Amino acid sequence: MAGEQEFLQQHFRKFYSEHKVNEPPEPASREFGIGSFGQKISRRHLAFKSLHDFNSFLRQEVPFFVSYSSALYKFPERRPMPAKEMLAADLVYEFDADDLPTACKQQHDSWKCPKCGRQGKGRQLMCDECGTQAILEEWFCPQCLGEARKKVFNLLEFLQDDFGFSEGIAINFSGRAGYHVHVRNKEVRSLSPSARIELIDYLTANSLSIFSHFRKEGELFAITKKSERSGWGRRIMSSITELLEEGDASKIAVFGSITTSQAKRLLSEKEMLLKSINERGVLPAFFGRASPSKESQSDKFWQSFIQSVIERISPIDRQTSIDVSKIVRVPETIHGETGLVAKTVSIDELKGFDPLVGAVGFGPNQTVKVFIIKAPRFHLAGESFGPFENQEAELPLNAAIFLLGRASARLAGS
Ligand SMILES: [Zn+2]
Ligand SMILES: [Zn+2]
């Protein structure tokens, strides 16, 4: 792939000579890392005195991926890590559509078993024939990106409403299938490691004993009245109300671990339930009351229902890293696998932002002949391409780079 690598690098060099990267803030205190074709990080522990030096480096070296530390250091180039002397650390949350269970994956993703050769559509981690870990071919589409964006808005709501963080929040597209949210205010920067864990616990409702919001009075679950609800309690209750109003029996059945006919019976009393919840502040014991020796089916139903609701509305998952020594994509740089730019977007811009249009780093003017190994139908800069399999095509530069970067195509004739 030497020819392809050179081709991409030539265009990336042009990009960096025409666009100055004005990120990250406080560059002199950051550790940087770079990656090469097919390898996200190949060198770390780089440091630059200024954005000027950083940009000269980008024009000269033309890395395929550029990352920086969320931490600020006294000596960012030193190693091992403790020698850097950490001064503070931003919080960074990464949202990637690859991790979200979107229905469109059935269309654009595929898997193949390296052992028995079985293959299929969708995101399947394990071969269903021999149990070997499958090789995934992952793509992303406007629907995936929309779901990742919803996660960002959900997190922003938590940060603003529950923590009062409204300053120092920066959002950027990751350059591929997701978004990064950076929190850089003073309160956050000085958080201790244990406070960082507490924050994750709160955002995943892990530290929250679910029923601290739902006092048990007699045989019913009593909840706070609508006007007095806040934080998780408010969110859980409005989500329960929404689900009941929506009235999808099979969804209710899954959420509450009950049968569909039980869910239908429950929904036939929807008005009564909503009135109890919102006016009287009570989760009704619809499936019977507890005896002193045994938990009632109502208890089990509401516990399962509330747990499912929490998973649905939690803005991050438990695996979210609190590792302050990790490095993340520098906003405004190119993602070498897609040719898309890790665009910074304001909260207002994000509402209408489509990275497959707004983050395209290269023009459509030039066309390139490529041989495409395999690609599902994809969208870029307002146009659709493919699907392709073992065929030659003449594509606009941006679409050619989009396929060459991930080695799904090669230059025709090479
Ligand atoms: Zn297999
Ligand atoms: Zn998708």
Side-chain angles (χ1 to χ4, degrees), residues 63 124 137 159 161 164 232 248:
Q124 189 168 313
E137 169 97 2
L159 294 178
D161 295 358
W232 271 106
D248 181 339

Side-chain angles (χ1 to χ4, degrees), residues 210-211 214 236 240 283 302-310:
I210 302 176
F211 295 99
F214 307 95
I236 291 169
I240 291 177
L283 291 177
W302 284 118
Q303 284 184 31
S304 161
F305 203 85
I306 289 168
Q307 192 58 53
S308 305
V309 162
I310 287 175

Side-chain angles (χ1 to χ4, degrees), residues 197-298:
I197 293 171
E198 266 174 48
L199 199 58
I200 301 261
D201 280 345
Y202 180 82
L203 293 172
T204 55
N206 192 25
S207 57
L208 183 90
S209 141
I210 302 176
F211 295 99
S212 64
H213 287 269
F214 307 95
R215 288 169 293 111
K216 223 172 169 184
E217 276 174 10
E219 59 274 64
L220 302 183
F221 283 116
I223 54 178
T224 43
K225 296 227 171 59
K226 200 174 180 181
S227 55
E228 296 159 10
R229 291 172 198 157
S230 65
W232 271 106
R234 176 180 58 75
R235 288 193 188 87
I236 291 169
M237 293 323 299
S238 50
S239 211
I240 291 177
T241 305
E242 245 170 59
L243 282 160
L244 289 174
E245 275 169 352
E246 191 188 56
D248 181 339
S250 51
K251 214 186 225 175
I252 302 267
V254 172
F255 272 56
S257 304
I258 53 173
T259 64
T260 313
S261 62
Q262 281 176 312
K264 282 186 182 150
R265 198 153 61 80
L266 185 90
L267 284 171
S268 69
E269 302 281 344
K270 190 162 96 175
E271 295 312 316
M272 178 279 286
L273 291 169
L274 288 170
K275 213 168 164 183
S276 282
I277 292 169
N278 290 318
E279 289 173 22
R280 292 171 48 226
V282 161
L283 291 177
F286 188 82
F287 297 108
R289 300 175 174 201
S291 70
S293 59
K294 203 164 134 259
E295 217 182 12
S296 74
Q297 206 198 334
S298 300

Side-chain angles (χ1 to χ4, degrees), residues 113 116 127 130:
C113 174
C116 73
C127 173
C130 71

Side-chain angles (χ1 to χ4, degrees), residues 102 104-105 108 140-141 143-144:
T102 55
C104 50
K105 289 196 162 65
H108 54 65
F140 59 99
C141 73
Q143 197 186 330
C144 298

